[in-house]
Amino acid sequence: MTHGRRFAHPPHPEAIPLSLYVHWPWCVRKCPYCDFNSRRAPKLLDEEAYVDRLLAALDRQIEAAGVRGRTLRTIFIGGGTPSLMTPEAVGRLLEGAAARIRVAGDCEVTMEANPGTADAARFAGFRAAGVNRLSLGVQSLSTPILKRIGRIHDADGARAAIRAARSAFENFNLDFMFALPGQTLEELEGEVAEALDSGASHLSFYQLTLEPGTAFGKRPPEALPDEDAAAEMGDMVESRLARAGFERYEVSGYAKPGRRCRHNLNYWTFGDYLGVGAGAHAKWTNSEGVWREAGERVPSRWAARVDAGGTGAVRRRIPLEDLPFEFMLNALRLVDGVPSGSFRDRTGLGLDAVEPVLGRLRAEGLMADDPGRLAATPRGLRFLSDLQEAFL
Ligand SMILES: C[S@@+](CC[C@H](N)C(=O)[O-])C[C@H]1O[C@@H](n2cnc3c(N)ncnc32)[C@H](O)[C@@H]1O
Ligand code: SF4
């Protein structure tokens, strides 16, 4: 039975870029603000067995999604702290992926790293294994602040990791957080200056959010900057980076020309992606619909599911009526939004599905008044979650 008829404008899956996300769910220890699927690594961690299961799950997902004939444009090894892996395991993972599905010659291969697990030899090993972009979680360059947010490294450790990143990678990102406990605008200005001096091609500045269920969510730290102070910090970051040639292209993402993160851009433009590992997400399009998989989050349960012959994940088709929200949730994070035509190409729905809401949001000045684009205005970006929810 085919449900293809249910699309008003059936998408062409082979024209949708395909990525791969691999999740490594362990860290040295859990940071108190973090709600990613991560936990302290056990003493005896069998990375060989984890990589074997990643590849078994990938094989089955490629089959289930019917994407064997497509080409991977980007790969992202995220976490957790994937820099806990040995370069040998990373090499085996990347070779194993390439043995199962075609990988583009210019594939962007990113790996996340924590400065507490970094040294130059290790980074060189990752580079030799096929990683060509590193994303380093610096968070702050103030030792007292790093202590307050429970990081495993101090400021000099972060600086050493930045030097190691620069020695091994031409293309690297640094993650910072701001509006951190006890942080002042002047301190943050100093960090921005160091970030601009670091040789990074991409910078991410995330405002600290207190996530429910985390240690900080339950018991907020003292001396948090208030909303006005946080907004002032965000404005300062944006203008300083712009002056230095880093364009803000996403809510928290800044890049030098040509250095936007292609993997994340594929998420935000509602592209397709395979996803393997504990807690990993996948999304793909075929003639029957748009599908999602959500991986079991607990590593031992994920492993048991894979050993039983599955992908370790729960699969579901996204109901057609949910597609507009899912599309906008991603697209509106981009400062320039997306071309209007991509709504139809990626969701299989006509723009008439969102026309009334779109009209209202344009009239309210939350979305750009441009029929050729779907984009938030600067005001819309500031109230992004309200804007996204309008499409629910
Ligand atoms: C999965 S972590 C990747 C890096 C690595 N695990 C590390 O922490 O060094 C992704 C990034 O999200 C940001 N982040 C995590 N939790 C956050 C929160 N509660 N508020 C704001 N940013 C957060 C941090 O900048 C972090 O580097
Ligand atoms: S190291 Fe990164 S992923 Fe791990 S707990 Fe800390 S912020 Fe989360």
Side-chain angles (χ1 to χ4, degrees):
M1 187 173 81
T2 168
H3 301 272
R5 248 168 270 122
R6 297 175 57 211
F7 281 128
H9 309 275
H12 301 287
E14 55 305 334
I16 302 177
L18 184 68
S19 293
L20 167 64
Y21 177 76
V22 179
H23 193 75
W24 178 268
W26 296 286
C27 296
V28 173
R29 68 165 189 249
K30 183 79 181 174
C31 303
Y33 54 84
C34 173
D35 81 337
F36 285 86
N37 185 37
S38 62
R39 64 212 27 83
R40 184 192 286 265
K43 278 218 178 67
L44 291 173
L45 182 59
D46 188 347
E47 69 167 354
E48 292 283 313
Y50 191 69
V51 171
D52 286 341
R53 291 189 178 100
L54 287 172
L55 293 174
L58 177 61
D59 234 349
R60 295 169 192 149
Q61 197 174 62
I62 288 171
E63 222 32 64
V67 297
R68 188 84 61 187
R70 289 168 66 182
T71 301
L72 290 181
R73 305 286 163 192
T74 69
I75 300 175
F76 196 104
I77 310 172
T81 303
S83 50
L84 286 172
M85 294 173 83
T86 60
E88 292 70 33
V90 174
R92 205 157 69 76
L93 170 67
L94 293 175
E95 277 164 28
R100 286 162 175 79
I101 187 164
R102 203 178 318 126
V103 177
D106 65 345
C107 187
E108 174 192 272
V109 184
T110 305
M111 185 168 140
E112 287 182 337
N114 181 311
T117 62
D119 61 69
R122 215 178 163 71
F123 282 178
F126 294 143
R127 181 72 189 86
V131 176
N132 56 30
R133 182 175 183 273
L134 196 82
S135 178
L136 188 66
V138 170
Q139 319 309 353
S140 167
L141 288 167
S142 146
T143 294
I145 289 180
L146 288 167
K147 273 216 181 86
R148 277 173 232 147
I149 63 168
R151 296 290 290 181
I152 59 170
H153 54 90
D154 61 13
D156 284 339
R159 290 185 183 107
I162 294 172
R163 286 193 297 274
R166 185 168 44 194
S167 71
F169 291 91
E170 194 199 322
N171 193 14
F172 67 94
N173 165 64
L174 303 179
D175 276 346
F176 284 84
M177 296 196 288
F178 67 95
L180 295 172
Q183 192 175 43
T184 63
L185 185 67
E186 292 66 36
E187 257 172 331
L188 183 62
E189 275 179 323
E191 298 194 7
V192 171
E194 272 195 66
L196 287 173
D197 243 15
S198 69
S201 51
H202 191 290
L203 295 167
S204 305
F205 277 86
Y206 301 101
Q207 180 174 341
L208 175 69
T209 51
L210 301 179
E211 304 287 349
T214 63
F216 275 8
K218 286 177 199 138
R219 199 164 172 277
E222 282 169 28
L224 276 182
D226 64 21
E227 238 176 78
D228 289 344
E232 201 181 347
M233 290 181 185
D235 291 346
M236 181 276 289
V237 168
E238 183 174 3
S239 63
R240 292 286 292 266
L241 294 192
R243 256 187 282 149
F246 277 84
E247 225 180 340
R248 182 183 188 207
Y249 70 104
E250 188 263 343
V251 181
S252 312
Y254 300 82
K256 288 204 173 147
R259 292 301 200 182
R260 296 178 176 197
C261 175
R262 287 167 48 204
H263 185 84
N264 287 337
L265 277 173
N266 195 35
Y267 292 149
W268 298 323
T269 54
F270 214 52
D272 283 350
Y273 48 95
L274 301 169
V276 290
H281 287 244
K283 175 247 168 194
W284 64 79
T285 311
N286 62 24
S287 58
E288 293 178 17
V290 181
W291 299 80
R292 266 203 196 293
E293 271 197 3
E296 165 63 60
R297 290 170 64 88
V298 178
S300 58
R301 292 199 206 134
W302 175 82
R305 274 173 175 267
V306 175
D307 293 348
T311 58
V314 176
R315 187 175 310 151
R316 67 179 188 101
R317 185 169 50 199
I318 307 178
L320 282 187
E321 57 273 23
D322 292 357
L323 287 173
F325 172 69
E326 298 243 353
F327 180 92
M328 295 297 179
L329 191 63
N330 287 289
L332 297 181
R333 295 178 61 103
L334 288 168
V335 172
D336 293 333
V338 294
S340 301
S342 75
F343 181 80
R344 184 171 120 166
D345 296 344
R346 299 288 158 94
T347 65
L349 303 171
L351 261 183
D352 50 306
V354 288
E355 214 58 85
V357 186
L358 214 53
R360 175 167 65 77
L361 293 169
R362 282 177 170 151
E364 287 171 1
L366 293 170
M367 277 185 70
D369 202 4
D370 174 352
R373 297 201 76 74
L374 298 168
T377 57
R379 200 161 80 85
L381 268 187
R382 214 166 299 148
F383 302 101
L384 188 57
S385 41
D386 294 339
L387 181 57
Q388 291 160 332
E389 279 164 24
F391 292 95
L392 264 179

